[in-house]
Amino acid sequence: MSQSHAPHDPHCIFCKIVQGQIPSTRVLETEHAVALLDIHPVNPGHVLIVTRDHHAHLADVPDSLAAHAASLLPRLCRAIRAATGADGLNVIVNNGRAAGQTIDHVHWHIIPRFDDDSVNWPWPQGQYVGDELAQLQARIATELESDAVGEEG
Ligand code: AMP
Ligand code: ZN
């Protein structure tokens, strides 16, 4: 699995966790990722998949590592659902402060949800006006063309 920079940040709490310098409650470990219980769960059984290498945001993660982390999701979702009796699950990656990211080391939240829980969801949604939808399609498509599949970093 390729690496575009130093694998660990000495100031990063998740780097310290994956290296075993800070304790964690792990439920699954692979060569490239660790799944552990979030210490402040939205609901009990809230799990984080944390990459072993330090990458701040999902946009920085090599495709192969993102694919590996995502490959763990179905099995973890089944296990968390069975272990907690959850009625549903949210899988979320927060990227950047504006999106609620507080630890700048990429991680996937798997959050058990219950029909009667008090979690504030769904979030408010808007509507496109005029040609805004088509304009955004064109702008994103142009960006994708200049960022070839498989290109990392
Ligand atoms: P985010 O806000 O998306 O960056 O999520 C960071 C998550 O890490 C939060 O849900 C925290 O509760 C969780 N967290 C912080 N410190 C620890 C820790 N030492 N062990 C497990 N989870 C942690
Ligand atoms: Zn880190």
Side-chain angles (χ1 to χ4, degrees), residues 1 32-33 51-53 55 61-70 108 152:
M1 203 153 296
H32 301 293
T51 59
R52 288 195 187 271
D53 287 358
H55 301 279
V61 175
D63 290 356
S64 54
L65 181 54
H68 173 73
W108 285 249
E152 296 181 345

Side-chain angles (χ1 to χ4, degrees), residues 9 12 17 26 46 60 64 68 104-105 110 112 127 131 140 145 148-149 152:
D9 175 338
C12 171
I17 282 179
R26 302 176 182 214
H46 179 169
D60 306 324
S64 54
H68 173 73
D104 292 334
H105 178 137
I110 307 172
Q127 283 183 338
D131 63 356
I140 293 170
E145 278 167 20
V149 172
E152 296 181 345

Side-chain angles (χ1 to χ4, degrees), residues 19-68:
Q19 293 176 100
Q21 295 166 3
I22 290 179
S24 61
T25 309
R26 302 176 182 214
V27 296
L28 183 67
E29 295 195 54
T30 71
E31 189 182 347
H32 301 293
V34 176
L36 52 97
L37 284 164
D38 192 303
I39 204 165
H40 297 299
V42 173
N43 279 319
H46 179 169
V47 162
L48 304 174
I49 302 174
V50 180
T51 59
R52 288 195 187 271
D53 287 358
H54 179 92
H55 301 279
H57 298 162
L58 195 51
D60 306 324
V61 175
D63 290 356
S64 54
L65 181 54
H68 173 73

Side-chain angles (χ1 to χ4, degrees), residues 42-43 90 92 111 113-114 116-124:
V42 173
N43 279 319
N90 287 117
I92 299 173
I111 302 171
R113 295 296 310 280
F114 299 88
D116 59 352
D117 73 22
S118 58
V119 178
N120 190 13
W121 188 268
W123 49 28

Side-chain angles (χ1 to χ4, degrees), residues 70-137:
S71 77
L72 305 177
L73 285 168
R75 191 164 152 236
L76 279 166
C77 284
R78 288 192 296 272
I80 294 165
R81 189 179 56 191
T84 63
D87 300 307
L89 299 158
N90 287 117
V91 176
I92 299 173
V93 182
N94 298 326
N95 284 279
R97 292 289 173 275
Q101 186 177 17
T102 58
I103 297 181
D104 292 334
H105 178 137
V106 72
H107 51 282
W108 285 249
H109 293 259
I110 307 172
I111 302 171
R113 295 296 310 280
F114 299 88
D115 289 336
D116 59 352
D117 73 22
S118 58
V119 178
N120 190 13
W121 188 268
W123 49 28
Q125 290 181 269
Q127 283 183 338
Y128 289 110
V129 177
D131 63 356
E132 212 180 347
L133 183 75
Q135 280 190 18
L136 273 164
Q137 178 192 30

